[in-house]
Amino acid sequence: MRIWRTPVLWLAVLLALTLGMDGLEPLFRLIQPDTQSVIYQRETFLFLLGNHVLLVLISATIGTFAAVAGGIFATRPSGRDFLPLVSQIASIGQTFPPVAVLALAVPVLGFGEGPTLVALVLYGLLPVLRNTLAGLDGIDPAVTEAARGMGMSARQVLFQVEIPLAGRVILAGIRTSVTINIATAAIGSTIGARTLGDPVIAGLVNGNTAYVLQGALLIGLLALMTDSLFEALEKLWARRLAPTVSPA
Amino acid sequence: MIELKNVTRRFGQTVAVDHIDLTVETGEVCVLVGSSGCGKSTTLRMINRLLPASSGEILVDGEDVTGMDLQRLRLNMGYAIQGTGLFPHWSVARNIALVPRLLKWPKERIDARVTELLQMLEMDPASFADKYPQQLSGGQAQRVGVARALAADPNILLMDEPFGALDAITRENLQLEMLRLQRQLKKTTVFVTHDIDEALRLATRIAVMDQGRIVQHDTPENILRRPASDFVENLVGKQDRGLKLMALRPVRDLMTPHDKPRPAEPGADGLKEDDSLRLALSVMLWQDLRQVAVFDHQGNETGVLLRERLIEGGV
Amino acid sequence: MPSLDEPPNRVITVLGLLALVLVWVLDLGTVQPNRIVPGTGYGLFAAAGWLGAVTVSAGLCVLMALAVLPLRRRYTLLGILLTLALAALPDLLVIFTSAHLPKDSPYARTAVGAGFWSLLFLLVLMLIEVVGRLRIGRRGQLGILVVILAGWALLIRQGGLDSLSLMREFSNRPDQFLQALWAHLALALGAVAISFVLAFALVLKMMRSEAWRRPVFGVVSFLQTIPSLALFGLLIAPLSALTAAFPLLQSLGIRGIGWAPALLALIAYSLLPMVRNTFVALTEVPEAVIDAGRGMGMTERQLFLQARLPLAIPVIIEGVRITAIQAMGLTAVAALIGAGGFGTFIFQGLGQAAMDLVMLGALPTIGLAIAADVVLSTLANALQPRPAAALPQ
C-alpha cells in the first residue's frame, strides 16, 4: 500500500488546488495587483483538468494499443520484413519536435480537440513502439526457444512469455509517452483544445501573470502526479513479476 | 523410436544437414557429437520441428512428424537446452508445471508431480518451489530445466547441450545425475554435445557428425576402438584412447570377488563397484598400490582389484 | 550477402501500393485566391496532367517491380531510382503551379496537398528501407541527402516554386525568417552549451563525492518531468519580481517575459540527458582499462585525460545530441513567452489561421532538429574509437 502514497498525495494537492483556487485569490492579488480578475474564470479548472486528462488518456490508450500491436507484428515471422523500417521510424520519428507535429496537424485537420488528439496519438505512439521492440528484442532467445520447444503455441508464447517479460520496458515507454503528451496537450490549447494550457495562454496574451501561474501550477502538479503514479506501477510490476534476487 | 530417413536441411545455399539416416531405439541415449556448425543442433531441432526438414522423412514411433499436430508433437517430447530457457517471471514450481498445465492436468496432480520431480533431482521442494530462476545457481537452474523437460513424463527427451554452460564440476555432477535418472526412466533420448567425454559417458550409441553428415554411428566402445575415419580418431584423441576406454568400464568387470562380502574395517580406503577402471588406475598410481579394495553401495568389501589384471585387461 | 536470388522485398511493395493509392485519392495541391480563403483541391490527374500522372504511376510501378522481380542488384537500383525521384519530386509542384495558378491575380497562391506530402513521406520511407538493406554507412547517407537537397535547392533558385504559398510567406518576410533562425539557434545552442558546462561540472563533483549523486539525479529528473509550458509559466513570476526589485537586471534585458525565462527553462530541461549521459560515460569505462592504466603507473589525471575521456566522448556526444534535438523543439514553445525563434511563426500563424505561416515555422523547426541529429550523430560516429585509431602511429 505504501507505494501508492506519493501519487495519492500529489493527487490530493492537485484536486485541492483545482477546486480551491478561488481561496487563493488574495495571494494572486499580490502578484497581479492592478487587474480586476485574478482568477481564471472562462472555464472551471475542474473542467479543464478533466478535459486535459481525457485527451491524454484517450491518446495514450489508442497509441499504446497501436504501438504494441505494431511492435508485435514487426517481430512475428510474418512481419519480420518490416522490422528494420519500423524501428527506424520509431527512432527517427522522435527527432520531430512534438510542438511541430501539433502545429502540422492544423493545416491537415483544422482546429480543436480532434487534431490535438491525432497529434498526441501519433507522437505518443513512438516511445511505446520503440520500447516494445526493445523489450521483445531483449528477451533471452533461449526462453522463447524453450517455450516453443516445450509445445506452447505461438499465441501462448506471446501472451504468457513475451509480453510479461517485455512488459516492464513497454511500461517505461508508456510513461515517457504520457509525460510528453501531458506537456503537448497543454500546448494544444493554442490550437483550440481546451486544456490546462488555456489559463497560461490567456495569461500570456493578456499580460496576466496570475492566470499563467494558475495554469502552470496545475499542469506541473498533473505531470508530477502522473509520473509518481507510473513510478508506483513500475515498482508494483517489478515486485509481481521479477522478484529481487535475495543474496545467496 | 525415432527414425531419420535421408533427411536434409538447407539454409539458403548452405547445406546444414546432408542426407542423413539415423535410428534411435526406444530407451537408448543417442548422443550427436561434433564441432560447432556440423549440423547436430539442426538435426535435433528438426525432430520437434523447431526447424522443418528441407527433404526426407522423420518418424517418431512410426509416425511422420510432418503430418502431426505441432503442439501435440512437442508436448510429448521433453526439451532441455543450454542456458536452460527457464522463464524468469515464473517460479521454479510454475516453470516445471509448464507442460502439465498446457495439458490441463488437475492442480493436485500438477503439484504432486512438481514435488516428485524436485525430490527426484535432489532439490528440497520446500525451499526451491517458490524461488525464481535468477535466484538459482547454474547447476540448480539446469536441474530445474531437466525437471521441466521430464514433467509430463514424455517418452522422448531432446537435449541440446544442456550442460554446456556449466563449470566442470557441476557438469560432471549433472552427468552422473542424468545417468542415474536414465537407468530409472529409460527415456528415448537425443542428446547434443560438442564434448566427446560427455558423449562417451552418457551415450548408448554415439553419432559423430561432420559437415552435415553422420560419419560414424556406434557404441562408445566401438567408436574408441575402431574409429571410422581420421576425423573420428582425432575427435576421440589418438593417444589417450586407452584411458578413455578404461573410463567406460566399471571396476566390477575386472575385480576379483571375495567368496562373500565382508564388512569394511572402519576408515578403510577403496573404490566402489561402479567407479571406472580409469579412476582405479589413477588411485593405484598415486598411492603406489598393487591392489585396491572394492566396496558395494552398502559399504561391504566385495572384492579386490589387482594392478596386473587392470593393466592386462583394462583396454 | 547479395546472392543471385535475393528474396523479394515486401516492404517496398506495400509502401509503393499505398503511395499509388494515396497519390490518386488525395489532392496533390490546392489553389487559393488569397491567403485566408480556403482553396480548391486538385487530384493527381487534374493537377499534373496525363503526362505527370503517368510518370508518377509508372515510377511507382517500376519501384514495386524492382522490389519483387528476381534481380541481382535489386537494392542498388532501387536506391539510385529513389534518390533521383526524391530529388525531382518538387518538379510535380512546378508543373502544377504553371498549369493552374491564375496569371492575373497577384494574391493567388498554390499550396502543397496531402497527396504530395504522402508521396514524399512514403518515398522517404522506401529510401530508409533501401539504405538499411544496403547497409550504407554514414558517408553514403549524407551523400544521398546532399543529392536530394541539391535537387530541391536548384528548383527553388530557378524560381519554379515562387508561387507556392509557403514560399510566398517566406518571401514576404525574409528578414524576419533569418532573425527567427538566429534567435532559434542562439537560444537552443546557448542552452545546450551552458547546460553542457554545468552538467560536466556537476558530474565531476558527483564522481568525487557519492553523496551528490542521488540529489543531483533527483533534481534534474524532477525538472524534466515538469511540462514545458508550465515551466516557462512558473519562471515568469519570479523573474518579474527580480527585475522589479533590481532595475539593473532590466537594463540587461532580463524580464519576466522573453529570452531570460526561456533560456533558464531550456537549461533546466537539458540537464537530465546531459548529466545522465556524461555520468554514465565517465563512470562506466571498463574497469580493466583503468586498472591496467593504473598498474602501469599512470596518474589519475593522465588516466582521466587519456583513458576515461576519449572512451567516454561518443556517449557524451550522444547526450548532447538528445539535448540538442529536445532544445530545438522546446525553443519553438518558448516563443509563447516572447523568446522569438520559429515558434513565433507557428503561433502567429495559428492566431491568424494562416496555415502556411504555421508551416513556415514548423518545417524549419523540424529541419533544425533533424540537422542537429545528423550533425551530432555523424560526429559521435567519427569519434568512436576504432581499431585502426588504436594502433601506434
Side-chain angles (χ1 to χ4, degrees):
Chain A
M1 239 25 244
R2 260 182 55 203
I3 57 174
W4 300 111
R5 210 165 53 189
T6 327
V8 167
L9 209 70
W10 282 123
L11 181 67
V13 177
L14 175 64
L15 286 178
L17 199 59
T18 305
L19 297 170
M21 195 69 86
D22 293 336
L24 295 178
E25 191 175 343
L27 218 64
F28 288 112
R29 183 77 57 199
L30 284 177
I31 297 162
Q32 201 71 34
D34 46 351
T35 16
Q36 294 183 332
S37 147
V38 291
I39 302 289
Y40 186 75
Q41 301 289 0
R42 210 169 304 160
E43 304 274 6
T44 65
F45 287 110
L46 192 62
F47 170 82
L48 292 175
L49 175 68
N51 220 28
H52 199 127
V53 170
L54 203 63
L55 268 175
V56 173
L57 216 55
I58 294 173
S59 64
T61 311
I62 300 175
T64 299
F65 272 104
V68 172
I72 288 171
F73 166 74
T75 49
R76 297 308 99 183
S78 58
R80 276 270 166 200
D81 291 357
F82 290 82
L83 183 58
L85 185 66
V86 170
S87 56
Q88 285 277 357
I89 293 176
S91 64
I92 295 175
Q94 278 182 291
T95 318
F96 286 52
V99 59
V101 175
L102 193 66
L104 288 180
V106 179
V108 184
L109 299 159
F111 285 91
E113 262 96 14
T116 310
L117 196 61
V118 172
L120 292 185
V121 167
L122 282 180
Y123 201 82
L125 208 136
L126 300 172
V128 186
L129 181 59
R130 203 174 63 163
N131 279 34
T132 306
L133 292 176
L136 291 174
D137 191 53
I139 297 173
D140 179 2
V143 169
T144 42
E145 156 109 8
R148 288 194 303 140
M150 307 289 299
M152 290 177 106
S153 66
R155 174 186 289 267
Q156 284 166 332
V157 176
L158 177 63
F159 286 105
Q160 293 184 33
V161 181
E162 291 183 274
I163 291 191
L165 286 179
R168 223 173 138 185
V169 184
I170 297 176
L171 189 65
I174 299 174
R175 181 178 179 173
T176 311
S177 158
V178 168
T179 306
I180 295 175
N181 277 357
I182 288 178
T184 313
I187 303 170
S189 61
T190 58
I191 70 165
R194 280 162 304 165
T195 67
L196 289 174
D198 280 7
V200 181
I201 303 294
L204 288 171
V205 171
N206 305 326
N208 190 331
T209 311
Y211 286 1
V212 175
L213 264 184
Q214 287 151 23
L217 273 174
L218 291 179
I219 298 169
L221 283 172
L222 175 61
L224 289 173
M225 191 273 286
T226 315
D227 195 64
S228 62
L229 184 69
F230 271 101
E231 179 131 3
L233 280 175
E234 278 175 18
K235 270 189 199 145
L236 196 69
W237 187 286
R239 199 181 290 175
R240 285 268 165 82
L241 290 169
T244 44
V245 181
S246 60
Chain B
M1 190 166 73
I2 304 169
E3 296 158 276
L4 280 71
K5 292 180 179 170
N6 206 18
V7 171
T8 298
R9 169 70 202 193
R10 287 185 209 91
F11 292 103
Q13 308 278 44
T14 47
V15 181
V17 172
D18 192 2
H19 298 95
I20 62 165
D21 292 288
L22 180 70
T23 305
V24 183
E25 300 292 345
T26 305
E28 81 166 334
V29 177
C30 171
V31 177
L32 301 175
V33 67
S35 44
S36 58
C38 71
K40 53 190 192 302
S41 280
T42 308
T43 306
L44 183 89
R45 288 152 57 90
M46 283 191 289
I47 297 173
N48 64 359
R49 278 174 60 200
L50 278 172
L51 289 171
S54 302
S55 67
E57 255 188 323
I58 298 174
L59 308 176
V60 170
D61 295 329
E63 199 181 341
D64 191 341
V65 294
T66 325
M68 288 168 75
D69 174 65
L70 201 59
Q71 262 69 54
R72 191 171 66 90
L73 172 78
R74 290 179 184 164
L75 289 172
N76 287 326
M77 293 181 176
Y79 186 52
I81 59 176
Q82 181 168 6
T84 74
L86 291 177
F87 299 169
H89 58 307
W90 286 3
S91 68
V92 164
R94 178 120 194 247
N95 263 292
I96 295 176
L98 171 63
V99 178
R101 283 170 67 119
L102 291 173
L103 292 169
K104 301 204 165 56
W105 287 13
K107 190 179 177 308
E108 304 74 48
R109 189 173 163 206
I110 295 178
D111 290 346
R113 180 65 180 159
V114 168
T115 310
E116 183 188 348
L117 280 163
L118 281 171
Q119 278 163 348
M120 198 197 289
L121 286 154
E122 293 178 342
M123 298 175 82
D124 176 24
S127 57
F128 281 103
D130 294 327
K131 284 209 165 128
Y132 282 78
Q134 55 272 37
Q135 294 168 292
L136 303 177
S137 69
Q140 289 165 343
Q142 200 49 261
R143 271 164 212 258
V144 175
V146 172
R148 184 171 69 166
L150 291 169
D153 205 11
N155 295 322
I156 290 173
L157 213 50
L158 304 179
M159 307 181 95
D160 193 350
E161 303 213 24
F163 311 143
L166 303 175
D167 64 86
I169 295 170
T170 314
R171 187 184 323 167
E172 187 172 332
N173 283 337
L174 275 165
Q175 286 165 354
L176 293 175
E177 195 103 339
M178 165 108 192
L179 280 173
R180 181 176 64 82
L181 281 177
Q182 182 59 14
R183 270 198 297 274
Q184 264 180 322
L185 305 170
K186 298 244 177 293
K187 301 285 180 198
T188 310
T189 306
V190 182
F191 190 106
V192 164
T193 180
H194 62 263
D195 175 359
I196 185 70
D197 291 310
E198 187 166 73
L200 290 168
R201 172 175 274 168
L202 297 178
T204 322
R205 286 193 294 167
I206 294 175
V208 182
M209 292 190 71
D210 182 34
Q211 295 180 358
R213 292 166 199 267
I214 293 178
V215 290
Q216 188 169 12
H217 182 207
D218 215 327
T219 59
E221 182 161 352
N222 282 341
I223 296 258
L224 281 168
R225 283 189 199 282
R226 288 181 287 279
S229 65
D230 290 349
F231 177 82
V232 182
E233 201 170 351
N234 276 325
L235 185 74
V236 296
K238 266 185 200 162
Q239 308 285 347
D240 65 348
R241 256 188 280 172
L243 287 177
K244 281 182 175 153
L245 271 168
M246 280 187 156
L248 294 179
R249 296 177 68 190
V251 166
R252 187 187 291 111
D253 281 13
L254 284 186
M255 73 178 191
T256 316
H258 297 309
D259 299 334
K260 64 175 199 218
R262 310 169 187 163
E265 294 159 28
D269 243 0
L271 297 163
K272 294 198 195 71
E273 288 177 346
D274 288 337
D275 285 337
S276 71
L277 291 178
R278 180 185 163 137
L279 183 72
L281 180 66
S282 174
V283 168
M284 285 179 186
L285 290 175
W286 181 247
Q287 300 182 4
D288 195 18
L289 303 173
R290 305 205 65 80
Q291 64 175 53
V292 184
V294 180
F295 300 93
D296 65 8
H297 284 298
Q298 281 78 42
N300 297 319
E301 186 180 321
T302 51
V304 290
L305 180 65
L306 304 174
R307 185 142 112 183
E308 292 88 70
R309 279 228 51 203
L310 181 63
I311 302 293
E312 282 157 26
V315 175
Chain C
M1 182 178 56
S3 66
L4 266 177
D5 50 348
E6 236 172 46
N9 185 301
R10 288 195 298 147
V11 180
I12 304 266
T13 322
V14 170
L15 293 175
L17 272 177
L18 197 61
L20 201 56
V21 171
L22 289 179
V23 86
W24 277 96
V25 170
L26 298 174
D27 288 343
L28 191 76
T30 53
V31 174
Q32 285 172 279
N34 58 45
R35 190 179 178 202
I36 308 298
V37 175
T40 34
Y42 291 85
L44 177 65
F45 187 76
W50 66 267
L51 191 64
V54 167
T55 311
V56 170
S57 314
L60 287 172
C61 289
V62 169
L63 285 174
M64 284 186 276
L66 283 178
V68 291
L69 290 177
L71 284 172
R72 204 170 176 176
R73 288 292 175 88
R74 180 194 307 293
Y75 292 111
T76 316
L77 286 172
L78 276 170
I80 294 170
L81 197 63
L82 280 166
T83 308
L84 293 179
L86 277 167
L89 198 62
D91 277 309
L92 264 183
L93 295 174
V94 177
I95 297 173
F96 167 58
T97 42
S98 63
H100 293 283
L101 189 71
K103 300 274 183 291
D104 46 353
S105 104
Y107 296 112
R109 48 177 64 202
T110 53
V112 181
F116 183 86
W117 288 123
S118 312
L119 188 59
L120 177 66
F121 179 64
L122 289 166
L123 285 176
V124 168
L125 287 189
M126 284 188 230
L127 189 61
I128 290 172
E129 166 76 8
V130 169
V131 165
R133 297 274 169 181
L134 283 172
R135 307 231 169 90
I136 294 179
R138 273 276 146 202
R139 223 168 275 181
Q141 293 177 13
L142 282 177
I144 291 174
L145 193 67
V146 166
V147 170
I148 295 171
L149 292 180
W152 294 3
L154 197 71
L155 218 68
I156 290 172
R157 281 189 74 95
Q158 284 172 353
L161 297 176
D162 281 353
S163 69
L164 215 61
S165 51
L166 195 60
M167 296 298 291
R168 286 261 163 104
E169 292 291 348
F170 169 70
S171 47
N172 283 347
R173 45 173 85 67
D175 295 341
Q176 268 176 287
F177 188 86
L178 273 183
Q179 214 178 357
L181 177 66
W182 292 127
H184 206 109
L185 281 176
L187 203 51
L189 297 184
V192 171
I194 295 170
S195 68
F196 179 77
V197 174
L198 262 177
F200 210 88
L202 276 173
V203 168
L204 287 183
K205 186 76 201 164
M206 285 156 77
M207 282 171 72
R208 292 226 184 87
S209 76
E210 204 136 331
W212 277 62
R213 291 183 192 177
R214 270 183 62 93
V216 169
F217 271 120
V219 170
V220 296
S221 33
F222 174 82
L223 287 174
Q224 181 94 27
T225 316
I226 311 285
S228 48
L229 195 61
L231 194 54
F232 287 134
L234 289 173
L235 284 172
I236 290 177
L239 275 178
S240 320
L242 262 181
T243 48
F246 304 97
L248 177 67
L249 289 173
Q250 213 155 4
S251 64
L252 290 173
I254 296 177
R255 273 184 300 275
I257 292 236
W259 63 267
L263 189 65
L264 271 182
L266 286 174
I267 292 170
Y269 276 116
S270 303
L271 280 176
L272 177 63
M274 210 71 110
V275 168
R276 192 175 44 199
N277 274 52
T278 311
F279 183 76
V280 167
L282 288 176
T283 50
E284 289 186 4
V285 172
E287 269 309 303
V289 173
I290 301 300
D291 273 355
R294 214 171 261 155
M296 287 184 293
M298 289 170 91
T299 63
E300 287 305 311
R301 191 186 156 77
Q302 286 168 328
L303 268 176
F304 185 82
L305 291 177
Q306 293 176 33
R308 277 190 204 274
L309 203 56
L311 286 170
I313 275 178
V315 185
I316 296 177
I317 292 182
E318 169 66 13
V320 177
R321 187 185 71 91
I322 297 171
T323 312
I325 292 174
Q326 188 186 271
M328 291 298 180
L330 288 173
T331 302
V333 181
L336 281 174
I337 56 167
F342 286 122
T344 319
F345 295 157
I346 297 182
F347 296 117
Q348 255 178 33
L350 289 173
Q352 304 169 7
M355 290 311 129
D356 292 300
L357 191 54
V358 173
M359 300 248 252
L360 192 67
L363 294 180
T365 306
I366 294 174
L368 285 180
I370 291 178
D373 180 30
V374 169
V375 169
L376 286 164
S377 55
T378 308
L379 190 64
N381 214 30
L383 290 174
Q384 199 83 47
R386 265 173 242 281
L391 289 173
Q393 290 92 349

